[in-house]
Amino acid sequence: MAAGMIFGSNMDEEIAEKTSQIRLEKQINERALWNQDLEEKSNFRKHQENTKRIQGELRMATRAAIAVRRAALKRLMEKEFAMYTEELKTQGKTLYKQRV
């Protein structure tokens, strides 16, 4: 009977150990899933922040391009105005400037 008790006791210990091991593995798996979820959320936030940053950079680049085009157009208009003024001056004429 003592041998049966030892055998039963060993079985109980093995079952308790396996149960403990299964609980530990379950905790590890749950923590891994939690970490994976956090990483996915973090990556999503980083992607959103990058998208916003890129959109802001594109807006600024567009504004800069418009400013450059306006400056170039202004120089062109001033150059053409000076050219027309000089051409009229050689003909003895002037442009009429209306004062407002």
Side-chain angles (χ1 to χ4, degrees):
M1 190 102 185
M5 291 291 270
I6 294 174
F7 181 71
S9 175
N10 285 341
M11 286 288 278
D12 288 343
E13 289 176 8
E14 286 180 31
I15 291 172
E17 188 177 320
K18 286 181 182 180
T19 304
S20 175
Q21 183 66 29
I22 289 172
R23 267 195 216 116
L24 180 62
E25 288 175 3
K26 184 179 177 185
Q27 281 181 332
I28 291 170
N29 287 338
E30 286 175 351
R31 184 169 286 160
L33 287 173
W34 181 72
N35 283 334
Q36 183 179 357
D37 187 44
L38 282 179
E39 187 175 336
E40 287 173 1
K41 288 179 181 179
S42 175
N43 287 339
F44 180 73
R45 273 190 239 112
K46 285 179 186 177
H47 176 70
Q48 284 182 324
E49 290 171 3
N50 283 339
T51 300
K52 286 180 183 179
R53 183 182 50 80
I54 289 170
Q55 287 174 347
E57 288 177 4
L58 285 173
R59 274 194 303 276
M60 296 304 290
T62 300
R63 289 178 186 165
I66 289 171
V68 168
R69 287 194 302 256
R70 283 182 180 165
L73 182 60
K74 183 179 179 183
R75 281 193 308 272
L76 177 65
M77 296 291 286
E78 289 170 351
K79 181 181 173 185
E80 287 182 355
F81 182 77
M83 188 176 68
Y84 293 141
T85 303
E86 187 62 35
E87 189 177 319
L88 289 173
K89 187 177 180 182
T90 59
Q91 296 174 7
K93 301 177 182 177
T94 61
L95 287 173
Y96 175 72
K97 293 183 184 180
Q98 184 178 7
R99 296 183 185 181
V100 180

